[in-house]
Amino acid sequence: MKKHIFITALSLLFCACSQQLPSDFTESDALPKIYPDYVDVTVPVNIAPLTFQMDDQSEEIAVRYAFGDEEIICGGTKAQPDFDAWKRLAIAAQGKDIQVETYACKDGQWTKFKPFSIHVSPDSIDAYISYRLISPSYVNYEELTISQRCVENYDESVIYDNILCTEGPNGQCINCHNYQQYNPGRMQFHARQNHGGTIIAYDGTIRKINMKNDSILSAGVYPAWHPELPLIVYSTNTTRQNFHVNHPNKIEVYDTESDLIAYDVMKNEVTNIENDPNELEVFPFWAPDGKAVYYCSAHFEYPDSIEDKTTYLLRHSNKIRYNIYRKSFDPATMAFGPREQVFAADSLEKSATLPRISPDGRYLMFALAEYGVFHIWHRDADLWTIDLQTGEARPMTELNSNDTESYHSWSSNGKWVVFSSRRDDGNFTRPFFAHIDANGKGSKPFELPCADPDYHRQFMKCYNIPEFMRGPVTIKPQAFADVFKRDGGEPVKYVQKLSR
């Protein structure tokens, strides 16, 4: 006899769960239209319960999740499996499929839709992700946070909140967060404006670094932490943004200047590693073995007669195209080699950004769009991969949609990626996950599960820069704020060359 697991009603606000499926119904050959779309997705065995609702005007639904002798029957307005029951079901089904039957009641008549599967991979996923939560207008900086979410359940907490260092008209804007080898105990992020500086959290200590120096373009912006050494490579950027009224890409973010620098966390030393005035270097990322750094660069020359670089570059921004390069690195001597081209996006009349390499070093994933550097606001932006063994580059059509795909990260086991997508409504980026097999092929992406399946459609924030972590950041937000407010930060020392 099958083991039946019934869920008691949690609240009238969300849903009630019935103890039996409808006995009087008509059958449909169509798959149910549900939100989020979890039809035939592949999920990790340790993912939180997949809740959903009918994406129409159904009055009530009944849903059966089943594998073998395990089943969960949910009823009400939304399917919200009990956490413990889901965990047992997912473990039992790993490597196989959970079968999902969906019934919907409309105008008093029940309809049973074509069943679908949820493929449960035995490959687990890192327990946590972190991201910036930001309004899509990019002007409400006071509401910007770095937050973290446990993907094994629905727990979310704030790592740092701008409001903690915002004082009247003096606001703060936090920039990209990054970890060394998925370690939440070794992280960095940067804040501009009020009490600005770079925060380095390293094995229990928190430091505020003043990375501004006359010998470098700016403080560090986009970071990449070496997989083993206390070394961070940054791009330094003079960034501008413009807002469009009629253009489908609502915001254009671009750099008038950008370079690459390397920062020694222990010695508090910094040096330039790429600072060609005719190159716009950005988005560094380390190879997993720590012996090369990948990055993007666009060739752009200003005429000698130009005084206003910002206006000139904006007028030509749709002609700026970034290619992918790498520089070798010798950990013994801390020396970087000359740049080598990896992917010539401009030969396709495209622009490549955000190179990210799988932990086994096999695949490089990047975002590709027609032009520019800030693809999260480019509706044509798609994810591509390069097989670094064969050099073959291809679009990840299995992951892409008709809207923006951008910021992406690999899980620590290299079996999963998370990326930001605007596929739901064109306005808000939300985290989507996909399994990547040994041949670099991705599964159908699925949206980050929430306790209430309608949560993301009610939540008026964008998820930017999703990063995997092995566990949560345990430093309290106020502890970061106290360090920000303490002083101007430790000034960096500029050196011509880093040394061991």
Side-chain angles (χ1 to χ4, degrees), residues 60-74:
E60 187 178 358
I61 65 173
V63 178
R64 178 178 180 263
Y65 304 80
F67 174 80
D69 292 336
E70 298 283 346
E71 70 174 23
I72 306 171
I73 298 177
C74 292

Side-chain angles (χ1 to χ4, degrees), residues 63-325:
V63 178
R64 178 178 180 263
Y65 304 80
F67 174 80
D69 292 336
E70 298 283 346
E71 70 174 23
I72 306 171
I73 298 177
C74 292
T77 58
K78 302 172 184 179
Q80 296 169 293
D82 172 75
F83 176 79
D84 291 332
W86 172 268
K87 184 176 179 179
R88 288 193 295 270
L89 183 62
I91 290 173
Q94 61 182 312
K96 298 182 174 61
D97 297 343
I98 295 173
Q99 297 298 318
V100 184
E101 297 175 2
T102 306
Y103 303 74
C105 184
K106 191 172 183 179
D107 298 327
Q109 175 63 49
W110 284 94
T111 299
K112 179 183 179 182
F113 291 90
K114 182 179 178 180
F116 65 89
S117 299
I118 296 172
H119 315 291
V120 182
S121 171
D123 297 324
S124 61
I125 199 168
D126 296 295
Y128 279 80
I129 60 170
S130 57
Y131 36 76
R132 288 200 309 168
L133 291 177
I134 183 170
S135 298
S137 65
Y138 281 77
V139 295
N140 296 323
Y141 293 134
E142 291 81 1
E143 298 178 6
L144 197 161
T145 67
I146 301 175
S147 296
Q148 59 189 354
R149 161 73 193 273
C150 179
V151 301
E152 296 181 334
N153 53 46
Y154 308 119
D155 294 344
E156 184 183 61
S157 60
V158 171
I159 296 174
Y160 181 70
D161 191 332
N162 261 354
I163 197 69
L164 296 174
C165 284
T166 294
E167 299 165 348
N170 298 317
Q172 189 181 69
C173 178
I174 44 179
N175 211 327
C176 307
H177 51 287
N178 189 249
Y179 308 91
Q180 185 178 42
Q181 283 293 82
Y182 308 91
N183 182 353
R186 295 182 179 181
M187 77 170 295
Q188 76 84 58
F189 64 95
H190 183 74
R192 296 187 296 265
Q193 300 172 307
N194 197 44
H195 297 298
T198 299
I199 287 289
I200 305 288
Y202 197 89
D203 295 347
T205 64
I206 310 174
R207 299 160 58 205
K208 177 183 175 182
I209 307 301
N210 178 5
M211 207 171 289
K212 295 181 180 178
N213 187 282
D214 291 341
S215 297
I216 61 177
L217 179 63
S218 72
V221 179
Y222 300 113
W225 206 313
H226 190 276
E228 296 178 2
L229 300 176
L231 176 69
I232 305 174
V233 169
Y234 292 92
S235 65
T236 57
N237 308 67
T238 303
T239 302
R240 300 288 184 265
Q241 66 178 358
N242 285 82
F243 298 84
H244 299 304
V245 176
N246 296 319
H247 199 282
N249 297 335
K250 300 175 184 179
I251 299 173
E252 190 61 48
V253 180
Y254 55 94
D255 296 322
T256 58
E257 299 173 288
S258 56
D259 296 328
L260 293 184
I261 63 172
Y263 171 67
D264 187 314
V265 174
M266 294 303 182
K267 294 183 179 181
N268 200 30
E269 294 178 344
V270 67
T271 191
N272 286 300
I273 60 174
E274 281 287 330
N275 61 345
D276 187 327
N278 297 322
E279 292 287 330
L280 299 169
E281 301 96 348
V282 70
F283 294 133
F285 192 82
W286 286 97
D289 63 5
K291 295 182 179 180
V293 63
Y294 289 71
Y295 65 99
C296 299
S297 184
H299 186 79
F300 188 80
E301 297 185 26
Y302 293 99
D304 293 337
S305 60
I306 291 299
E307 294 183 2
D308 186 351
K309 289 184 176 181
T310 300
T311 301
Y312 181 82
L313 190 141
L314 176 61
R315 289 174 178 170
H316 295 82
S317 60
N318 63 345
K319 303 298 183 184
I320 298 176
R321 295 187 168 97
Y322 287 76
N323 297 323
I324 300 176
Y325 298 88

